[in-house]
Amino acid sequence: MARIAVIGAGLGAMATAARLAVAGHRVTVYERGGTHGGAVGRFERDGFAFDTGPGLLHLPAVYRDLFVKTGRESLEDSVDLAPVDPAGRHLFADGTDVSLPNASRGAVAALGGALGADAGDRWDAFMSRAGAAWDRVRRPLLEEPLWPDWQVLGKDPYPSVATRRLLRERRAATLAEIGAWELRDPRLTALLESYALAFGLDPRRAPASAAVLPYMEQTFGTWYVRGGMRALADAVHARCLARRVEFAFGAEVVAVTVRDGRAAGVELADGTRAAADHVVAAVHPRTLDALVHGRPDGAREGHELYGEGDFQPGPEAAGAGRVTVCLALSGARDPRAAHRTVVHSADRAAELRTVFEGAGAPKSPTVWVMRPDDPALRPDDAHETVVLTAAAPSLDRADWTRASAEAWADAMVAQASRAVTGLAGRVLWREVHTPRDIAARTGAPAGDLPAPALAGASGTHLVRSNSPRLPGLYAAGGWAHPGGGLAHAGMSGALVAGLIVEGDGFRGSQ
């Protein structure tokens, strides 16, 4: 039985801890905050409750596998998991309104009916190509540790269509080029690019392989956990406790101790040292560097986490943050309302400059409007809970003063009013969370969001390996392979547990 220290109590960290405990190891989770869940946050006031992190779950099979492998009760025994149908309503800048069914190629018929048969056919052909890309990358990007020869993943798996541009044949290399050259409809382009924005990815730089993001959602479905997504974090935490994982909250790790050239435990802010045979860090890469090297630049010689030939994330992969506006509304929820509505920007080019270059103030952000029909989130049926989210500049690109936060909230409410009739007049109060709040809650220095690993673009959108070069140290969670998102974080737990239990030769579940 090995002693294992886990830094952080997010979903990826807890998924790792539960699997390792079942394998017979003694696991202790150290969390600097006062609760578990990481980015899966919750805000409560006056009988209203809000998800301040992810609001929906994709690829629930990841957590079904976690619960099957760590106990008798299934995921469905532990949470009330419900499919969301329609998966999403989309309001485009020209007023077009279309709802896409959940986990169904019926999206093609819906798009064809609203945008025209040619548009539906183009989306159908695009989804077929996206499916081919998914088949090529599913295992190396999601089910196996990052390959040592990661450079082979630099070739984009998306089978772009040859297009004549400026008197020569070109193939789409980015998501934006797929929209412009293959979909050829501004509404389809907006639909496609919204999947990138939801993960803080710039569609102008995201590789064409990001086409797998809409493919995954439309193929495997969109799910909601009744009581809010926090209920999923609570269920995973309960599973950890059932497997005798120990949790230390308010326990900030300030260093990974090293002995004889390998990770040997952790040191806490109060000076306490805890020995361990393995250390699992579910933290931002900059934070991990500081924990090992003693300062953020990692200049001290020795204990290099990644060296020549290892994957190193480039600036092209830098993501965005997110603004979340929690709205407490008077009046009952419209029973016909969609759970999720995406209100698309009227000026995508200006939006991308604002989000990814920090240029200008928000005018017409793309806003995700979440209106769950869940009595657990509202004081009574005469009120409604609504959450608005939008991609926004990280702390590297914006200061995020209170004035800027309120300006973003005003713009988002104005946009959301297209989806919720009389919204402004129903607001009792609102709570605004910005990248500065994300940084405080999760420890991400820039308050940005971890994006899923993507093939193509010479590997610049891959994510750091689960196995740094320091023996005994492992990386889990959204900032490690295979990247961000609830499903991907859960997958990192399976990979790290496999590497510790089976050794460096572990290549993923068969």
Side-chain angles (χ1 to χ4, degrees):
M1 178 178 70
R3 298 165 300 172
I4 298 175
V6 178
I7 306 173
L11 267 293
M14 292 194 294
T16 309
R19 290 177 182 272
L20 288 171
V22 166
H25 299 299
R26 180 180 175 183
V27 185
T28 303
V29 176
Y30 298 92
E31 167 58 47
R32 69 188 184 111
T35 188
H36 57 275
V40 185
R42 187 178 181 92
F43 176 75
E44 298 182 9
R45 174 182 162 187
D46 300 339
F48 294 89
F50 307 85
D51 283 323
T52 59
L56 295 171
L57 177 64
H58 306 292
L59 289 177
V62 173
Y63 289 93
R64 289 191 180 108
D65 181 71
L66 171 65
F67 277 77
V68 165
K69 299 290 178 57
T70 60
R72 293 181 179 179
E73 299 83 8
S74 68
L75 175 64
E76 279 78 0
D77 290 333
S78 305
V79 298
D80 188 356
L81 191 64
V84 176
D85 202 3
R89 175 190 176 203
H90 291 264
L91 293 178
F92 297 104
D94 69 349
T96 304
D97 186 339
V98 58
S99 293
L100 304 182
N102 191 22
S104 168
R105 294 303 286 267
V108 173
L111 291 169
L115 280 61
D118 288 347
D121 291 343
R122 285 195 294 275
W123 186 261
D124 188 30
F126 158 72
M127 288 295 286
S128 294
R129 294 190 293 274
W134 167 258
D135 290 340
R136 295 170 183 171
V137 302
R138 176 184 59 82
R139 186 161 183 80
L141 274 186
L142 299 180
E143 299 176 359
E144 296 181 352
L146 184 64
W147 292 349
D149 57 339
W150 57 267
Q151 292 87 348
V152 301
L153 297 173
K155 183 178 179 180
D156 203 304
Y158 177 78
S160 302
V161 176
T163 307
R164 185 159 294 279
R165 307 289 300 179
L166 300 177
L167 303 181
R168 66 190 183 97
E169 189 176 87
R170 295 282 302 278
R171 294 179 183 273
T174 66
L175 210 61
E177 289 175 345
I178 291 176
W181 301 352
E182 297 181 9
L183 297 179
R184 304 193 308 278
D185 183 303
R187 296 163 297 184
L188 290 181
T189 298
L191 172 62
L192 173 63
E193 293 185 350
S194 69
Y195 287 94
L197 280 172
F199 283 103
L201 290 165
D202 186 345
R204 301 169 300 180
R205 297 182 176 88
S209 68
V212 301
L213 299 177
Y215 176 83
M216 284 191 293
E217 179 175 310
Q218 293 191 19
T219 301
F220 303 111
T222 302
W223 303 79
Y224 174 68
V225 178
R226 297 195 186 280
M229 293 303 298
R230 179 70 186 180
L232 176 63
D234 292 342
V236 176
H237 177 246
R239 178 54 53 91
C240 286
L241 294 178
R243 302 283 78 81
R244 299 185 180 180
V245 174
E246 297 181 5
F247 284 82
F249 294 107
E252 182 181 3
V253 174
V254 295
V256 172
T257 57
V258 179
R259 183 182 304 114
D260 298 328
R262 66 174 288 118
V266 297
E267 180 179 346
L268 306 183
D270 64 3
T272 301
R273 290 197 171 199
D277 301 295
H278 304 282
V279 176
V280 177
V283 298
H284 191 281
R286 276 192 262 171
T287 303
L288 180 55
D289 289 344
L291 293 178
V292 174
H293 297 126
R295 65 179 197 260
D297 60 12
R300 192 172 73 190
E301 185 177 357
H303 311 145
E304 293 87 352
L305 298 184
Y306 300 92
E308 184 177 354
D310 292 336
F311 167 70
Q312 296 291 336
E316 300 88 348
R322 174 183 291 151
V323 174
T324 300
V325 182
C326 305
L327 299 176
L329 302 185
S330 62
R333 178 186 185 274
D334 183 346
R336 300 166 297 177
H339 187 118
R340 173 178 59 173
T341 300
V342 184
V343 183
H344 292 271
S345 174
D347 190 342
R348 175 56 53 78
E351 177 182 31
L352 296 181
R353 288 194 299 271
T354 298
V355 173
F356 295 101
E357 300 165 23
K363 294 181 180 178
S364 174
T366 297
V367 175
W368 283 258
V369 183
M370 306 295 289
R371 304 179 69 182
D373 186 9
D374 191 341
L377 303 183
R378 56 187 183 243
D380 53 54
D381 288 342
H383 296 84
E384 182 179 6
T385 294
V386 171
V387 176
L388 312 180
T389 58
S394 66
L395 287 170
D396 289 339
R397 304 184 185 100
D399 292 335
W400 286 110
T401 62
R402 176 49 54 187
S404 62
E406 293 300 327
W408 271 85
D410 289 342
M412 291 166 64
V413 170
Q415 276 285 85
S417 295
R418 295 178 53 203
V420 184
T421 303
L423 175 61
R426 295 177 59 197
V427 176
L428 298 173
W429 51 262
R430 72 188 189 190
E431 174 78 7
V432 185
H433 291 184
T434 72
R436 188 170 297 282
D437 299 295
I438 294 175
R441 187 172 71 246
T442 69
D448 50 348
L449 302 172
L454 298 170
S458 300
T460 54
H461 282 75
L462 297 174
V463 186
R464 278 187 168 187
S465 166
N466 307 111
S467 303
R469 289 196 172 190
L470 178 62
L473 178 65
Y474 299 86
W479 294 106
H481 180 78
L486 287 177
H488 290 68
M491 294 172 191
S492 78
L495 296 177
V496 171
L499 288 167
I500 292 176
V501 173
E502 299 187 26
D504 293 339
F506 173 71
R507 299 312 303 162
S509 58
Q510 300 298 319

